[in-house]
Amino acid sequence: MNLSFFDQFSSPSLLGIPLILIAMTFPALLLPAPDNRWLTNRLSTLQLWFINLVTKQLMLPLDKKGHKWALILTSLMIFLLLINLLGLLPYTFTPTTQLSMNLALAFPLWLATLLVGLRNQPSVSLGHLLPEGTPTPLIPALILIETTSLLIRPLALGVRLTANLTAGHLLIQLISTATIALASTMPAVSLLTLLVLFLLTILEVAVAMIQAYVFVLLLSLYLQENI
Protein backbone atom coordinates (compact mmCIF):
# COMPACT_ATOMS: atom_id res chain seq x y z
CA MET A 1 0.00 0.00 0.00
CA ASN A 2 1.44 3.37 -1.02
CA LEU A 3 1.45 5.93 1.76
CA SER A 4 1.72 9.68 1.30
CA PHE A 5 3.44 12.13 3.61
CA PHE A 6 0.09 13.32 4.91
CA ASP A 7 -1.09 9.89 6.04
CA GLN A 8 0.65 10.44 9.37
CA PHE A 9 -1.93 13.13 10.17
CA SER A 10 -4.95 10.86 9.70
CA SER A 11 -6.61 9.76 12.92
CA PRO A 12 -5.66 6.13 13.71
CA SER A 13 -8.40 3.59 14.30
CA LEU A 14 -8.67 0.01 15.51
CA LEU A 15 -11.57 -2.10 14.26
CA GLY A 16 -13.24 1.09 13.09
CA ILE A 17 -12.90 2.74 16.53
CA PRO A 18 -10.94 6.03 16.50
CA LEU A 19 -7.98 6.02 18.88
CA ILE A 20 -7.62 9.79 19.16
CA LEU A 21 -9.29 9.75 22.58
CA ILE A 22 -6.63 7.38 23.88
CA ALA A 23 -3.93 9.62 22.45
CA MET A 24 -5.52 12.61 24.20
CA THR A 25 -5.86 10.91 27.60
CA PHE A 26 -2.42 9.24 27.62
CA PRO A 27 -0.57 12.38 28.88
CA ALA A 28 -2.62 12.20 32.09
CA LEU A 29 -0.71 9.01 32.97
CA LEU A 30 2.53 11.03 33.15
CA LEU A 31 1.22 13.43 35.80
CA PRO A 32 1.85 12.72 39.50
CA ALA A 33 -0.94 11.00 41.39
CA PRO A 34 -2.28 12.65 44.58
CA ASP A 35 -0.35 11.57 47.65
CA ASN A 36 -0.76 12.34 51.36
CA ARG A 37 2.95 12.08 52.12
CA TRP A 38 4.96 15.21 52.82
CA LEU A 39 8.02 13.81 51.05
CA THR A 40 7.72 12.41 47.54
CA ASN A 41 10.20 11.17 44.98
CA ARG A 42 12.41 13.41 42.87
CA LEU A 43 10.25 13.06 39.76
CA SER A 44 7.15 14.35 41.54
CA THR A 45 9.17 17.21 43.05
CA LEU A 46 10.47 18.15 39.60
CA GLN A 47 6.99 18.01 38.09
CA LEU A 48 5.53 20.19 40.83
CA TRP A 49 8.37 22.69 40.44
CA PHE A 50 7.73 22.86 36.69
CA ILE A 51 3.96 23.31 37.16
CA ASN A 52 4.61 26.08 39.69
CA LEU A 53 6.99 27.79 37.26
CA VAL A 54 4.48 27.58 34.40
CA THR A 55 1.70 28.95 36.59
CA LYS A 56 3.80 31.95 37.63
CA GLN A 57 4.70 32.74 34.02
CA LEU A 58 1.09 32.52 32.86
CA MET A 59 -0.21 34.70 35.70
CA LEU A 60 2.28 37.52 35.11
CA PRO A 61 0.15 39.46 32.57
CA LEU A 62 -3.06 38.95 34.58
CA ASP A 63 -4.54 40.97 37.41
CA LYS A 64 -5.69 39.34 40.63
CA LYS A 65 -9.15 38.94 39.15
CA GLY A 66 -7.71 36.65 36.48
CA HIS A 67 -5.85 34.40 38.92
CA LYS A 68 -8.99 32.29 39.32
CA TRP A 69 -8.23 31.06 35.77
CA ALA A 70 -4.87 29.64 36.90
CA LEU A 71 -6.07 26.03 37.08
CA ILE A 72 -7.65 26.11 33.60
CA LEU A 73 -4.71 27.82 31.88
CA THR A 74 -2.02 25.74 33.60
CA SER A 75 -3.86 22.48 32.89
CA LEU A 76 -4.25 23.46 29.23
CA MET A 77 -0.56 24.37 29.02
CA ILE A 78 0.58 21.03 30.48
CA PHE A 79 -1.91 19.14 28.30
CA LEU A 80 -0.73 20.75 25.05
CA LEU A 81 2.92 20.46 26.04
CA LEU A 82 2.73 16.73 26.74
CA ILE A 83 0.72 15.99 23.60
CA ASN A 84 3.14 17.97 21.39
CA LEU A 85 6.21 16.29 22.88
CA LEU A 86 4.75 12.79 22.82
CA GLY A 87 3.83 13.31 19.16
CA LEU A 88 7.54 13.56 18.30
CA LEU A 89 8.15 9.96 19.36
CA PRO A 90 8.25 7.32 16.58
CA TYR A 91 5.02 5.53 15.70
CA THR A 92 2.85 8.01 17.60
CA PHE A 93 -0.02 10.26 16.64
CA THR A 94 -0.21 13.98 17.46
CA PRO A 95 -3.82 15.09 18.08
CA THR A 96 -2.81 18.77 17.95
CA THR A 97 -2.09 18.44 14.22
CA GLN A 98 -5.87 18.23 13.76
CA LEU A 99 -7.41 21.65 13.13
CA SER A 100 -10.76 20.47 14.47
CA MET A 101 -9.29 19.64 17.88
CA ASN A 102 -7.37 22.91 18.15
CA LEU A 103 -10.47 24.91 17.24
CA ALA A 104 -12.45 22.90 19.79
CA LEU A 105 -9.95 24.04 22.41
CA ALA A 106 -9.60 27.64 21.23
CA PHE A 107 -13.19 28.65 20.50
CA PRO A 108 -14.85 27.85 23.88
CA LEU A 109 -12.02 29.44 25.88
CA TRP A 110 -11.98 32.56 23.68
CA LEU A 111 -15.76 32.79 23.97
CA ALA A 112 -15.50 32.46 27.75
CA THR A 113 -13.05 35.38 27.95
CA LEU A 114 -15.35 37.45 25.72
CA LEU A 115 -18.44 36.69 27.83
CA VAL A 116 -16.53 37.56 31.00
CA GLY A 117 -15.78 40.99 29.56
CA LEU A 118 -19.34 41.57 28.35
CA ARG A 119 -20.66 40.60 31.77
CA ASN A 120 -18.26 42.52 34.00
CA GLN A 121 -17.50 45.61 31.90
CA PRO A 122 -19.70 45.74 28.77
CA SER A 123 -18.89 49.36 27.88
CA VAL A 124 -15.12 48.76 27.97
CA SER A 125 -15.39 45.53 25.97
CA LEU A 126 -17.53 47.15 23.30
CA GLY A 127 -15.27 50.21 23.36
CA HIS A 128 -12.44 48.08 21.95
CA LEU A 129 -14.36 47.94 18.66
CA LEU A 130 -13.99 51.71 18.14
CA PRO A 131 -10.71 53.46 19.05
CA GLU A 132 -11.04 56.84 20.68
CA GLY A 133 -10.73 59.85 18.37
CA THR A 134 -11.78 58.03 15.21
CA PRO A 135 -13.04 60.34 12.44
CA THR A 136 -16.77 60.05 11.86
CA PRO A 137 -16.56 58.80 8.22
CA LEU A 138 -14.28 55.93 9.31
CA ILE A 139 -16.47 54.70 12.17
CA PRO A 140 -18.46 52.04 10.21
CA ALA A 141 -15.34 50.68 8.53
CA LEU A 142 -13.33 50.52 11.76
CA ILE A 143 -16.15 48.79 13.64
CA LEU A 144 -16.34 46.18 10.88
CA ILE A 145 -12.54 45.68 10.86
CA GLU A 146 -12.28 45.41 14.66
CA THR A 147 -15.22 43.02 14.82
CA THR A 148 -13.63 40.81 12.15
CA SER A 149 -10.28 40.82 13.95
CA LEU A 150 -12.05 39.87 17.17
CA LEU A 151 -13.95 36.99 15.59
CA ILE A 152 -10.92 35.46 13.87
CA ARG A 153 -8.92 35.19 17.09
CA PRO A 154 -9.93 31.57 17.83
CA LEU A 155 -9.30 30.65 14.19
CA ALA A 156 -5.83 32.20 14.39
CA LEU A 157 -5.09 30.27 17.58
CA GLY A 158 -6.07 26.94 16.06
CA VAL A 159 -4.42 27.50 12.68
CA ARG A 160 -1.15 28.69 14.25
CA LEU A 161 -0.80 25.59 16.40
CA THR A 162 -1.83 23.23 13.59
CA ALA A 163 0.40 24.80 10.93
CA ASN A 164 3.55 24.88 13.05
CA LEU A 165 3.28 21.28 14.21
CA THR A 166 2.25 19.98 10.77
CA ALA A 167 5.15 21.74 9.05
CA GLY A 168 7.63 20.34 11.56
CA HIS A 169 6.37 16.77 11.19
CA LEU A 170 6.50 17.03 7.40
CA LEU A 171 10.08 18.33 7.44
CA ILE A 172 11.19 15.53 9.74
CA GLN A 173 9.59 12.91 7.51
CA LEU A 174 11.03 14.41 4.32
CA ILE A 175 14.58 14.59 5.67
CA SER A 176 14.41 11.13 7.26
CA THR A 177 13.17 9.69 3.96
CA ALA A 178 16.05 11.37 2.13
CA THR A 179 18.53 10.03 4.70
CA ILE A 180 17.41 6.44 4.16
CA ALA A 181 17.28 6.81 0.37
CA LEU A 182 20.82 8.22 0.17
CA ALA A 183 22.39 5.74 2.61
CA SER A 184 23.19 3.17 -0.09
CA THR A 185 24.25 5.50 -2.90
CA MET A 186 25.86 8.52 -1.17
CA PRO A 187 26.82 7.69 2.42
CA ALA A 188 28.55 11.04 3.02
CA VAL A 189 25.50 13.02 1.99
CA SER A 190 23.35 10.67 4.04
CA LEU A 191 25.42 11.41 7.14
CA LEU A 192 25.03 15.14 6.46
CA THR A 193 21.26 14.84 6.17
CA LEU A 194 21.27 12.74 9.35
CA LEU A 195 22.98 15.63 11.15
CA VAL A 196 20.39 18.03 9.76
CA LEU A 197 17.65 15.65 10.95
CA PHE A 198 19.12 15.61 14.46
CA LEU A 199 19.26 19.41 14.60
CA LEU A 200 15.73 19.66 13.21
CA THR A 201 14.46 17.26 15.87
CA ILE A 202 15.93 19.48 18.58
CA LEU A 203 14.28 22.47 16.92
CA GLU A 204 10.93 20.69 16.81
CA VAL A 205 11.13 19.92 20.53
CA ALA A 206 11.58 23.65 21.13
CA VAL A 207 8.72 24.46 18.73
CA ALA A 208 6.42 22.00 20.49
CA MET A 209 7.10 23.70 23.82
CA ILE A 210 6.89 27.25 22.47
CA GLN A 211 3.63 26.69 20.59
CA ALA A 212 1.93 25.28 23.68
CA TYR A 213 3.10 28.31 25.67
CA VAL A 214 2.05 30.80 22.95
CA PHE A 215 -1.42 29.24 22.68
CA VAL A 216 -2.11 29.66 26.39
CA LEU A 217 -0.32 33.02 26.65
CA LEU A 218 -2.55 34.53 23.96
CA LEU A 219 -5.62 33.23 25.78
CA SER A 220 -4.38 34.89 28.97
CA LEU A 221 -3.87 38.17 27.09
CA TYR A 222 -7.39 37.96 25.71
CA LEU A 223 -8.60 37.38 29.25
CA GLN A 224 -6.67 40.39 30.54
CA GLU A 225 -8.47 42.62 28.03
CA ASN A 226 -11.82 41.61 29.50
CA ILE A 227 -11.23 41.75 33.27
Side-chain angles (χ1 to χ4, degrees):
M1 181 175 61
N2 295 326
L3 299 178
S4 66
F5 288 123
F6 292 93
D7 286 334
Q8 60 176 317
F9 304 116
S10 60
S11 179
S13 59
L14 179 63
L15 300 177
I17 302 174
L19 302 180
I20 187 171
L21 294 178
I22 298 178
M24 291 173 59
T25 55
F26 184 76
L29 301 177
L30 303 178
L31 298 177
D35 199 343
N36 295 326
R37 294 181 301 174
W38 285 97
L39 297 177
T40 56
N41 54 24
R42 296 177 181 177
L43 179 60
S44 298
T45 303
L46 182 61
Q47 289 175 335
L48 292 176
W49 170 82
F50 179 73
I51 293 174
N52 187 27
L53 178 64
V54 169
T55 305
K56 287 182 178 179
Q57 291 296 323
L58 293 176
M59 293 299 106
L60 283 179
L62 293 177
D63 296 335
K64 289 186 177 180
K65 294 181 180 179
H67 289 181
K68 63 182 68 174
W69 288 65
L71 179 60
I72 297 176
L73 295 178
T74 304
S75 301
L76 179 63
M77 170 73 184
I78 301 299
F79 174 72
L80 292 176
L81 180 63
L82 291 178
I83 283 184
N84 293 348
L85 292 178
L86 290 174
L88 294 174
L89 297 176
Y91 302 104
T92 56
F93 173 70
T94 312
T96 45
T97 56
Q98 306 295 312
L99 182 60
S100 57
M101 174 184 166
N102 295 333
L103 290 179
L105 290 174
F107 184 77
L109 292 173
W110 165 82
L111 184 61
T113 61
L114 185 62
L115 293 178
V116 166
L118 293 175
R119 177 186 177 186
N120 296 335
Q121 44 183 12
S123 59
V124 177
S125 298
L126 295 176
H128 291 156
L129 301 179
L130 184 62
E132 186 177 358
T134 304
T136 304
L138 297 179
I139 289 179
L142 278 180
I143 292 179
L144 182 60
I145 292 173
E146 291 296 329
T147 304
T148 304
S149 65
L150 178 65
L151 295 178
I152 66 172
R153 281 181 174 181
L155 181 62
L157 283 175
V159 170
R160 181 187 296 108
L161 182 59
T162 303
N164 282 281
L165 295 180
T166 302
H169 283 67
L170 283 176
L171 281 176
I172 289 178
Q173 185 169 1
L174 285 171
I175 296 179
S176 60
T177 303
T179 302
I180 297 175
L182 295 173
S184 59
T185 56
M186 292 180 287
V189 179
S190 178
L191 290 176
L192 181 60
T193 55
L194 182 62
L195 177 61
V196 174
L197 179 62
F198 177 73
L199 297 177
L200 181 62
T201 304
I202 297 177
L203 177 63
E204 283 305 311
V205 172
V207 169
M209 299 173 66
I210 292 172
Q211 288 303 316
Y213 176 71
V214 168
F215 188 92
V216 182
L217 179 63
L218 289 176
L219 280 175
S220 65
L221 294 178
Y222 299 158
L223 177 63
Q224 178 60 29
E225 292 180 0
N226 294 283
I227 58 175

